Amino acid sequence: MVSIILNGDERQVRSGSIADLVASLGLDVKKVAVERNREIVPRSTLADVALAEGDALEIVHFVGGGC
C-alpha cells in the first residue's frame, strides 16, 4: 500500500502502475487524462509508470454526450 493524493484527497492504494489504479477506480484507461506531480503522463505509458509514496495525481475521465 502507498499513500497518494488523488484529485485532492489523501488515499491509501495498492502499489502498482497508474493503469492499475485507473482500473481499480472502474475507469477506462483509454478515456482518462492523468497528471502526476504536475506533469501529464502520456496515456501510452500509464501501465509503465509505478505509483510512489506521496504522488499527487489528478485523473480526469471523458464523458460522451452533447447536443
Side-chain angles (χ1 to χ4, degrees), residues 22-38:
V22 169
S24 75
L25 296 171
L27 300 172
D28 183 346
V29 74
K30 296 175 191 167
K31 297 180 181 177
V32 297
V34 179
E35 179 184 275
R36 176 180 177 232
N37 302 326
R38 298 185 175 233

Side-chain angles (χ1 to χ4, degrees), residues 21-63:
L21 174 63
V22 169
S24 75
L25 296 171
L27 300 172
D28 183 346
V29 74
K30 296 175 191 167
K31 297 180 181 177
V32 297
V34 179
E35 179 184 275
R36 176 180 177 232
N37 302 326
R38 298 185 175 233
E39 292 186 19
I40 299 294
V41 180
R43 191 172 298 122
S44 62
T45 66
L46 292 179
D48 301 323
V49 179
L51 294 170
E53 187 74 23
D55 275 348
L57 295 136
E58 294 289 329
I59 298 177
V60 178
H61 67 282
F62 303 104
V63 180

Side-chain angles (χ1 to χ4, degrees), residues 10 13 15 21 44:
E10 189 170 333
V13 297
S15 349
L21 174 63
S44 62

Side-chain angles (χ1 to χ4, degrees), residues 1-5 10-13 52-56:
M1 298 292 277
V2 293
S3 292
I4 64 168
I5 297 174
E10 189 170 333
R11 295 182 75 164
Q12 292 282 324
V13 297
E53 187 74 23
D55 275 348

